[in-house]
Amino acid sequence: MITTVVGAQFGDEGKGRVVDYLARQADLVIRFQGGDNAGHTVVNDAGLFRLHLIPSGIFYPQTTCLIGSGVVANPATLLEELAELEAQGIDTGNLKISNRAQMLMPYHPMLDGLEESRRGKQQIGTTKRGIGPAYADKAARRGLRYGDLAHPAWLRQRLELALPSINHKLAYFGAPTVKIDDLMAQCAEWAEKLNGRIVEPLKLVRGAVESGQNILLEGQLGVMRDLDWGTYPYVTSSNPTAAYAAVGAGIPPQKIDVVIGVAKAYATAVGAGPFPAELTDETGQKLRDIGQEYGATTGRPRRTGWHDVVAVRHAAWLNGFTGLAVTKLDVLDEFPEIKICTGYRLPDGRRLDYVPDTAVLETIQPIYESWAGWQTPTTDARSWDDLPANAQNYLERLQQLIDVPIQFVSVGPHREAMFAV
Ligand code: GDP
Ligand code: IMO
Ligand code: MG
């Protein structure tokens, strides 16, 4: 069985906790895109972890974890993350990296920061982890890949090709340029430390698929930040949608059986750009306080809002969701009234039932319907029947509007605070 887990909103939906929950039955977990802009929080009996690059299946010793070919992975932060996990007693021996994964180089975060400051008022609000510049170099065919570490002469040639344009940009911003010998020395150190982890991915992946193993494909971010289908240009530089899981993991698309869209019971976003159902009032602050909505990677306060089914339907179509996992239901426990954004109103009064292009999305007003809250704690619920009637009504309404079955509900951050419906 091959299952893809992706974000149905603006990221931070709880993908990490869903993967940690589902991985108990997985033989192989593959992160298929993004980089250390991700912050996937996992809370289980081993502790609280914020994973940035390492797949959320790492807590199961029998599960192999692969950083897939579609990822741009910073070797320095990867090594830090490995060291942190090991310091917390987690065995990371089963972490492998595709030789096709891009190496996010020290100059990429520098360029990310410089390009953001040049944007002035049009800043994207990136995580400044270098994701955009790394994917740009990949597309421009001057990226370096993990496999290159085993071939120093080839690596040096690749760097010789890349550096003039990198240094040209750094000099344009008045920043210090980078030197090939320093980077080669850095690469030699990474090669030594990552020795044994860099693999030919298809040997592993194809073998697992052909022998019918359970495979989880873990996405980063969510559809509204998809490079093609999100709120461009306020997006990331890869596709967090399920179609890219096939590319980034190296699996034929028709082999993927299940696509789980993870959505909060409400919504949050980090970074700039339109967020139609945003709440900038005290209700939004209450969601932030109760939901502890602060970025797992940057610590920035997350923008908060009501659940937007227009956006999640957009996600459902683009990803082909076979089921939804609704997280953080417990955060709504205290609210007397809960709203759902069911459509968008254009300035001329017309109603939209789809996500329009960004220039139009910036002009719309959300259309809401209102539901009575349950005002009862749900965090101890371990089955559908344990939920208060109004919580069931709310979830049933979401399911009806999105037209995808809710298969999992989570009511707390811990691994066990989640149940199948
Ligand atoms: P991801 O990036 O999609 O993996 O999500 P994040 O880890 O960035 O953000 C989700 C946050 O919500 C984390 O702090 C989780 O520990 C927390 N969380 C996940 N599920 C639940 C839940 O059902 N209830 C509560 N209260 N917190 C949750
Ligand atoms: P997870 O995987 C929430 C946002 C940034 C910015 C935009 C582009 O934990 O859901 P980037 O650094 O990718 O160039 O930034 O995307 N962003 C995230 N928001 N969760 C994330 O990851 C994010 N990764 C990037 O805030 O708006
Ligand atoms: Mg996150």
Side-chain angles (χ1 to χ4, degrees):
M1 170 94 98
I2 305 182
T3 301
T4 304
V5 177
V6 288
Q9 296 163 316
F10 285 85
D12 301 329
E13 298 90 348
K15 298 172 292 291
R17 67 105 62 245
V18 172
V19 171
D20 174 62
Y21 175 87
L22 296 176
R24 69 184 80 191
Q25 284 159 1
D27 302 294
L28 174 62
V29 182
I30 310 175
R31 248 297 288 282
F32 63 82
Q33 47 73 233
D36 63 2
N37 50 347
H40 293 183
T41 314
V42 171
V43 184
N44 55 33
D45 288 343
L48 184 152
F49 305 88
R50 293 189 201 289
L51 301 171
H52 301 288
L53 283 165
I54 297 177
S56 306
I58 195 72
F59 305 99
Y60 298 93
Q62 79 285 2
T63 306
T64 302
C65 287
L66 177 69
I67 296 180
S69 305
V71 176
V72 291
N74 181 334
T77 58
L78 174 59
L79 286 165
E80 264 170 44
E81 198 173 327
L82 284 165
E84 277 167 28
L85 283 175
E86 279 157 19
Q88 285 174 278
I90 306 302
D91 177 0
T92 65
N94 51 7
L95 188 268
K96 306 288 176 205
I97 308 155
S98 163
N99 61 7
R100 263 74 158 187
Q102 295 279 319
M103 276 198 288
L104 191 143
M105 298 297 285
Y107 44 79
H108 289 132
M110 290 161 65
L111 288 169
D112 197 352
L114 293 164
E115 282 172 12
E116 272 286 86
S117 29
R118 184 173 57 116
R119 286 174 179 270
K121 283 195 186 131
Q122 291 190 58
Q123 283 197 6
I124 293 164
T126 74
T127 58
K128 301 203 177 140
R129 296 300 184 111
I131 307 302
Y135 275 114
D137 277 352
K138 174 182 178 176
R141 294 156 294 186
R142 56 171 171 258
L144 304 168
R145 309 203 292 184
Y146 276 80
D148 300 345
L149 289 176
H151 309 284
W154 161 270
L155 180 67
R156 181 173 271 276
Q157 271 181 22
R158 304 278 308 135
L159 269 171
E160 276 166 358
L161 183 84
L163 285 196
S165 85
I166 305 294
N167 278 333
H168 183 73
K169 270 193 240 162
L170 289 169
Y172 165 79
F173 286 116
T177 55
V178 290
K179 294 187 184 61
I180 194 161
D181 289 340
D182 295 346
L183 292 167
M184 284 300 293
Q186 182 78 88
C187 286
E189 188 192 323
W190 292 334
E192 194 194 319
K193 293 190 169 153
L194 294 170
N195 186 27
R197 295 193 189 269
I198 301 167
V199 296
E200 190 60 68
L202 293 191
K203 275 193 199 162
L204 181 71
V205 174
R206 189 163 179 180
V209 173
E210 289 179 342
S211 59
Q213 292 190 0
N214 274 325
I215 303 176
L216 278 179
L217 308 178
E218 177 175 359
Q220 185 259 329
L221 249 179
V223 70
M224 295 302 276
R225 299 276 189 235
D226 181 280
L227 182 56
D228 293 282
W229 295 102
T231 54
Y232 190 91
Y234 304 102
V235 293
T236 195
S237 298
S238 67
N239 297 102
T241 27
Y244 195 75
V247 177
I251 292 180
Q254 74 272 31
K255 301 264 186 217
I256 296 173
D257 306 288
V258 173
V259 181
I260 301 292
V262 186
K264 280 179 181 161
Y266 50 99
T268 63
V270 193
F275 176 18
E278 182 170 15
L279 291 164
T280 50
D281 57 4
E282 66 274 16
T283 308
Q285 185 58 41
K286 191 170 162 188
L287 280 172
R288 187 174 305 109
D289 289 342
I290 301 176
Q292 281 301 298
E293 296 296 355
Y294 296 90
T297 295
T298 59
R300 288 180 286 177
R302 293 177 181 145
R303 299 160 72 189
T304 54
W306 294 121
H307 194 102
D308 176 353
V309 293
V310 187
V312 179
R313 274 201 304 258
H314 185 63
W317 169 254
L318 291 166
N319 286 287
F321 291 157
T322 55
L324 287 173
V326 176
T327 60
K328 304 194 90 160
L329 185 70
D330 55 301
V331 174
L332 297 180
D333 285 351
E334 287 179 21
F335 289 77
E337 182 193 28
I338 296 165
K339 291 186 182 174
I340 304 175
C341 171
T342 55
Y344 300 152
R345 183 79 62 204
L346 287 166
D348 66 8
R350 277 182 302 141
R351 181 189 168 111
L352 289 186
D353 294 311
Y354 61 90
V355 177
D357 199 5
T358 314
V360 178
L361 192 65
E362 276 191 329
T363 69
I364 64 91
Q365 290 298 320
I367 300 169
Y368 288 121
E369 65 177 40
S370 189
W371 285 75
W374 43 94
Q375 298 186 277
T376 314
T378 58
T379 199
D380 292 329
R382 292 294 176 271
S383 73
W384 178 261
D385 292 339
D386 292 341
L387 293 175
N390 281 358
Q392 293 179 347
N393 294 340
Y394 175 66
L395 291 175
E396 272 168 357
R397 181 62 176 152
L398 287 184
Q399 174 171 273
Q400 180 188 44
L401 288 166
I402 299 163
D403 199 20
V404 174
I406 294 176
Q407 290 183 336
F408 303 95
V409 175
S410 104
V411 288
H414 195 275
R415 181 187 281 170
E416 303 308 326
M418 179 158 155
F419 55 87
V421 174

